[in-house]
mmCIF file with all atom_site columns, all heavy atoms in Angstrom:
data_model
loop_
_atom_site.group_PDB
_atom_site.id
_atom_site.type_symbol
_atom_site.label_atom_id
_atom_site.label_alt_id
_atom_site.label_comp_id
_atom_site.label_asym_id
_atom_site.label_entity_id
_atom_site.label_seq_id
_atom_site.pdbx_PDB_ins_code
_atom_site.Cartn_x
_atom_site.Cartn_y
_atom_site.Cartn_z
_atom_site.occupancy
_atom_site.B_iso_or_equiv
_atom_site.pdbx_formal_charge
_atom_site.auth_seq_id
_atom_site.auth_comp_id
_atom_site.auth_asym_id
_atom_site.auth_atom_id
_atom_site.pdbx_PDB_model_num
ATOM 1  N N   . SER A 1 95  ? -43.951 23.887 -8.009  1.00 86.00 ? 659 SER A N   1
ATOM 2  C CA  . SER A 1 95  ? -42.630 24.315 -7.518  1.00 86.00 ? 659 SER A CA  1
ATOM 3  C C   . SER A 1 95  ? -42.462 25.789 -7.857  1.00 86.00 ? 659 SER A C   1
ATOM 4  O O   . SER A 1 95  ? -42.737 26.212 -8.977  1.00 86.00 ? 659 SER A O   1
ATOM 5  C CB  . SER A 1 95  ? -41.493 23.506 -8.098  1.00 86.00 ? 659 SER A CB  1
ATOM 6  O OG  . SER A 1 95  ? -41.524 22.175 -7.691  1.00 86.00 ? 659 SER A OG  1
ATOM 7  N N   . SER A 1 96  ? -42.094 26.571 -6.891  1.00 82.00 ? 660 SER A N   1
ATOM 8  C CA  . SER A 1 96  ? -41.971 27.995 -7.089  1.00 82.00 ? 660 SER A CA  1
ATOM 9  C C   . SER A 1 96  ? -40.675 28.560 -6.528  1.00 82.00 ? 660 SER A C   1
ATOM 10 O O   . SER A 1 96  ? -40.062 27.895 -5.684  1.00 82.00 ? 660 SER A O   1
ATOM 11 C CB  . SER A 1 96  ? -43.142 28.766 -6.333  1.00 82.00 ? 660 SER A CB  1
ATOM 12 O OG  . SER A 1 96  ? -43.105 28.499 -4.939  1.00 82.00 ? 660 SER A OG  1
ATOM 13 N N   . CYS A 1 97  ? -40.218 29.633 -7.124  1.00 77.00 ? 661 CYS A N   1
ATOM 14 C CA  . CYS A 1 97  ? -39.016 30.368 -6.674  1.00 77.00 ? 661 CYS A CA  1
ATOM 15 C C   . CYS A 1 97  ? -39.309 31.868 -6.756  1.00 77.00 ? 661 CYS A C   1
ATOM 16 O O   . CYS A 1 97  ? -39.475 32.380 -7.819  1.00 77.00 ? 661 CYS A O   1
ATOM 17 C CB  . CYS A 1 97  ? -37.821 29.931 -7.630  1.00 77.00 ? 661 CYS A CB  1
ATOM 18 S SG  . CYS A 1 97  ? -36.301 30.789 -7.169  1.00 77.00 ? 661 CYS A SG  1
ATOM 19 N N   . TYR A 1 100 ? -41.905 33.232 -9.165  1.00 77.00 ? 664 TYR A N   1
ATOM 20 C CA  . TYR A 1 100 ? -41.874 32.496 -10.444 1.00 77.00 ? 664 TYR A CA  1
ATOM 21 C C   . TYR A 1 100 ? -42.268 31.126 -10.175 1.00 77.00 ? 664 TYR A C   1
ATOM 22 O O   . TYR A 1 100 ? -41.704 30.378 -9.301  1.00 77.00 ? 664 TYR A O   1
ATOM 23 C CB  . TYR A 1 100 ? -40.541 32.627 -11.096 1.00 77.00 ? 664 TYR A CB  1
ATOM 24 C CG  . TYR A 1 100 ? -40.388 31.863 -12.407 1.00 77.00 ? 664 TYR A CG  1
ATOM 25 C CD1 . TYR A 1 100 ? -41.010 32.331 -13.575 1.00 77.00 ? 664 TYR A CD1 1
ATOM 26 C CD2 . TYR A 1 100 ? -39.576 30.744 -12.453 1.00 77.00 ? 664 TYR A CD2 1
ATOM 27 C CE1 . TYR A 1 100 ? -40.868 31.585 -14.713 1.00 77.00 ? 664 TYR A CE1 1
ATOM 28 C CE2 . TYR A 1 100 ? -39.413 29.977 -13.609 1.00 77.00 ? 664 TYR A CE2 1
ATOM 29 C CZ  . TYR A 1 100 ? -40.098 30.431 -14.704 1.00 77.00 ? 664 TYR A CZ  1
ATOM 30 O OH  . TYR A 1 100 ? -39.899 29.766 -15.927 1.00 77.00 ? 664 TYR A OH  1
ATOM 31 N N   . VAL A 1 101 ? -43.139 30.558 -11.033 1.00 79.00 ? 665 VAL A N   1
ATOM 32 C CA  . VAL A 1 101 ? -43.565 29.116 -10.924 1.00 79.00 ? 665 VAL A CA  1
ATOM 33 C C   . VAL A 1 101 ? -42.613 28.291 -11.787 1.00 79.00 ? 665 VAL A C   1
ATOM 34 O O   . VAL A 1 101 ? -42.612 28.382 -13.062 1.00 79.00 ? 665 VAL A O   1
ATOM 35 C CB  . VAL A 1 101 ? -44.988 28.931 -11.422 1.00 79.00 ? 665 VAL A CB  1
ATOM 36 C CG1 . VAL A 1 101 ? -45.360 27.458 -11.424 1.00 79.00 ? 665 VAL A CG1 1
ATOM 37 C CG2 . VAL A 1 101 ? -45.990 29.701 -10.497 1.00 79.00 ? 665 VAL A CG2 1
ATOM 38 N N   . GLU A 1 102 ? -41.783 27.553 -11.064 1.00 80.00 ? 666 GLU A N   1
ATOM 39 C CA  . GLU A 1 102 ? -40.701 26.734 -11.736 1.00 80.00 ? 666 GLU A CA  1
ATOM 40 C C   . GLU A 1 102 ? -41.331 25.641 -12.525 1.00 80.00 ? 666 GLU A C   1
ATOM 41 O O   . GLU A 1 102 ? -40.922 25.261 -13.636 1.00 80.00 ? 666 GLU A O   1
ATOM 42 C CB  . GLU A 1 102 ? -39.715 26.268 -10.763 1.00 80.00 ? 666 GLU A CB  1
ATOM 43 C CG  . GLU A 1 102 ? -38.881 27.316 -10.079 1.00 80.00 ? 666 GLU A CG  1
ATOM 44 C CD  . GLU A 1 102 ? -37.775 27.774 -11.118 1.00 80.00 ? 666 GLU A CD  1
ATOM 45 O OE1 . GLU A 1 102 ? -37.626 27.157 -12.213 1.00 80.00 ? 666 GLU A OE1 1
ATOM 46 O OE2 . GLU A 1 102 ? -37.182 28.843 -10.782 1.00 80.00 ? 666 GLU A OE2 1
ATOM 47 N N   . GLY A 1 103 ? -42.250 24.884 -11.887 1.00 83.00 ? 667 GLY A N   1
ATOM 48 C CA  . GLY A 1 103 ? -42.865 23.642 -12.566 1.00 83.00 ? 667 GLY A CA  1
ATOM 49 C C   . GLY A 1 103 ? -44.188 23.281 -11.966 1.00 83.00 ? 667 GLY A C   1
ATOM 50 O O   . GLY A 1 103 ? -44.427 23.478 -10.777 1.00 83.00 ? 667 GLY A O   1
#
Side-chain angles (χ1 to χ4, degrees):
S659 293
S660 59
C661 177
Y664 178 69
V665 177
E666 291 285 349

